[in-house]
Every structure is written in C-alpha cells, then in structure tokens.
Amino acid sequence: MSVDALDARILELFAAEPRVGVLEASRRLGVARGTVQARLDRLQRDGVVRGWGPDIDTTAIGYPVTAFATLQIEQGSGHTTVAAALARIPEVLEVHTITGAEDLWCRIVARSNADLQRVIDQVVKVRNIQRASTVIALAEQIPHRVLPLVEAATKG
C-alpha cells in the first residue's frame, strides 16, 4: 500500500485533531468531502489506520511506572499461547516476539515500583515462561510516533 502526499496530510490532521470531522477536514485540506471520506475508508480498509480511539495517558489513570520486560519461554511451547495468557494481565500493554536470547518483549505499566513487583510476579507465573528480565523506564524522551514514517513513505 502506498501513501501519497494527500493521504499524509489527512493522517497528520486526524492524528493532531482526531475529532475534527470529515467535513471540516475537507475544508482545511481544500479537497472534496467525498475525497477525504474515500481516502479514510481506504486507509482503514488497507490496515494503515488501525483505530480511532483516544490516546490514553497511563500516568493520568494511575499507572505512572513503565517497565520493559524480556521473557524467555520454554522452547516448543509456542509464542501464541504465552501471549494469550499475558493479554489477560491488564498492565501488560504490548507483547512482541523478538530475536536474540529472549523470546518476547513486553511493555508493562504499574501503579508504583512495589506494584510493578506484583505485575512481574503475575507475568512469571504464566505457564512456559522460564525467565524474565525487567528494566524500569525513567523518562519518556520520544513518545510513540508514526507520522515521521508517513511523511518519509510519501517521498520514497
């Protein structure tokens, strides 16, 4: 799927102002309402836009501690089964299969450092997890972002 300059402008506008509305977006971008709607529909259908939900700050809802854990799992046990079990722990926000000595990478949040121990204890109780290594994030230097990639995709 290629993203052109208009797609990028639409994505940038909706990322900055998710509640802008199609009619207002068309006015600001100087294109027909139908064009904006058709582009948004295509971007969503093609999987470029994965959702329209609010971007929630975990600190604001009482989870100021962020940690990253790498997990070793029992060989042959399957990543999918372990990931499904981890998905049942609300504080586990992301899980990725990775290369290297460990098998999975997780982003975890907690209410405090002591609460992080509780969450880690839940994680390591998951069947087929053999070992966990965790680091605590001290400060966010660059928040999760994708718009620079969108811009780069229109040029390459």
Side-chain angles (χ1 to χ4, degrees), residues 9-75:
R9 290 176 52 216
I10 291 169
L11 291 170
E12 288 169 1
L13 177 58
F14 277 89
E17 299 179 55
R19 297 172 56 164
V20 70
V22 175
L23 184 60
E24 178 62 16
S26 68
R27 186 186 69 71
R28 290 189 197 180
L29 297 169
V31 297
R33 181 198 175 285
T35 300
V36 173
Q37 187 64 61
R39 298 270 184 138
L40 287 172
D41 291 345
R42 178 180 51 81
L43 291 165
Q44 189 166 11
R45 182 184 65 246
D46 292 347
V48 173
V49 173
R50 297 194 302 185
W52 299 99
D55 185 10
I56 298 168
D57 182 339
T58 57
T59 297
I61 61 169
Y63 293 86
V65 176
T66 297
F68 302 97
T70 54
L71 308 175
Q72 285 182 344
I73 63 173
E74 182 179 319
Q75 297 303 300

Side-chain angles (χ1 to χ4, degrees), residues 74-106:
E74 182 179 319
Q75 297 303 300
S77 64
H79 295 83
T80 308
T81 305
V82 173
L86 291 170
R88 290 190 288 275
I89 302 171
E91 296 87 353
V92 176
L93 303 183
E94 292 180 68
V95 178
H96 299 267
T97 301
I98 59 172
T99 62
E102 281 77 24
D103 301 298
L104 297 172
W105 174 91
C106 307

Side-chain angles (χ1 to χ4, degrees), residues 1 18 29 40 116 121 124:
M1 150 101 233
L29 297 169
L40 287 172
L116 178 60
D121 289 345
V124 298

